[in-house]
């Protein structure tokens, strides 16, 4: 049986925490920032956690 490949995009976008949760970045922080408030941009900078429902599919993509 061949090796399982990891999703190239997934390994760039997600990181595993020490407790096994998956960290992610917020969307909407790459361009068109002039119309967004400073508070909104500041809050988008912080990392978030992947929802419980999506964890299974992301772990499959990461090969975990």
């Amino acid at each position: 049986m061949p090796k399982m490949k990891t999703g190239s995009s997934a390994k760039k976008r997600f990181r595993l925490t020490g407790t096994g949760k998956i960290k992610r970045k917020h969307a909407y922080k790459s361009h068109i920032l002039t119309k967004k408030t400073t508070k909104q941009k500041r809050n988008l900078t912080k990392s978030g956690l992947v929802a419980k429902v999506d964890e299974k599919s992301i772990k499959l993509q990461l090969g975990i």
Side-chain angles (χ1 to χ4, degrees):
M1 194 167 154
K3 288 186 196 175
M4 207 169 121
K5 288 191 172 184
T6 59
S8 287
S9 62
K11 69 184 176 191
K12 294 169 193 169
R13 289 174 187 165
F14 303 108
R15 291 276 175 270
L16 219 59
T17 63
T19 55
K21 294 175 184 169
I22 303 171
K23 266 172 58 167
R24 65 172 177 84
K25 296 266 186 166
H26 280 100
Y28 308 111
K29 185 72 201 303
S30 56
H31 60 93
I32 315 174
L33 298 172
T34 49
K35 61 175 81 169
K36 293 173 186 139
T37 64
T38 312
K39 182 180 179 180
Q40 187 180 6
K41 289 184 277 193
R42 183 173 60 243
N43 288 332
L44 289 172
T45 301
K46 299 168 187 170
S47 59
L49 292 173
V50 168
K52 201 80 171 156
V53 238
D54 302 322
E55 276 187 14
K56 187 180 176 184
S57 63
I58 291 168
K59 282 185 178 178
L60 274 172
Q61 290 173 31
L62 292 172
I64 299 169

